[in-house]
Amino acid sequence: MNSIFITSGITKTFSELIEVVLDPLFLKFLALNNYDQMYFQYGNELVKDRNQSKVIFMEYLERLYKLIEMDSEISVISADIYGQFELQMNCYSISTINYLNDIKVSNFIITHSGTGTILDIFNIKYNSDNEDEDENNCSSNNSANNGYSNYKLLSIINSNLMDNHQLDISKEFKAANY
């Protein structure tokens, strides 16, 4: 089976991204492509002492799906998606868990276009591939993928942010052939 890691940013809630990844059509895509695990990291934006990203995520999820099981920390959710398939969702704020391992084990990553997160993903995936090559006594110079594993990364720009800096960052990554 496959796993997907999604991050909606740390400081500002990217509600449009949250709504898209919880949309029935997107979740059906996951099911059709054998995804059974979703890691979802939401941000730390506080509004009246409540985590705004968590509130938006849970309200949208509860509105659409039957939650089979949910613990008080909102760390693991089993969702029955219209009786068609079940998806395990590990949902958390960046401050509550180390998200680096979830990135490492995921083969599809969707991220807001935050520079730090994109660089974390590149570093984690590059380093995990080189560890695998070392274990197999292979030289990283002979790697067909230049040290990066076969994973998909989709970086989505949040155009609501100040001066649209994520667009500029994305253009720089594209210019550098990432």
Side-chain angles (χ1 to χ4, degrees), residues 52-106:
Q52 188 66 18
S53 298
K54 179 179 177 180
V55 168
I56 290 171
F57 181 85
M58 290 308 302
E59 284 177 356
Y60 196 75
L61 189 66
E62 289 170 344
R63 206 169 48 230
L64 287 177
Y65 307 109
K66 175 185 174 191
L67 301 182
I68 298 170
E69 180 181 329
M70 180 171 59
D71 73 17
S72 60
E73 295 296 317
I74 318 292
S75 59
V76 179
I77 300 169
S78 293
D80 179 9
I81 313 302
Y82 296 123
Q84 297 175 3
F85 67 98
E86 189 174 316
L87 180 67
Q88 285 292 120
M89 299 180 189
N90 292 349
C91 314
Y92 51 83
S93 170
I94 192 70
S95 64
T96 61
I97 195 165
N98 184 350
Y99 77 119
L100 302 177
N101 188 60
D102 293 342
I103 292 172
K104 186 175 181 177
V105 300
S106 295

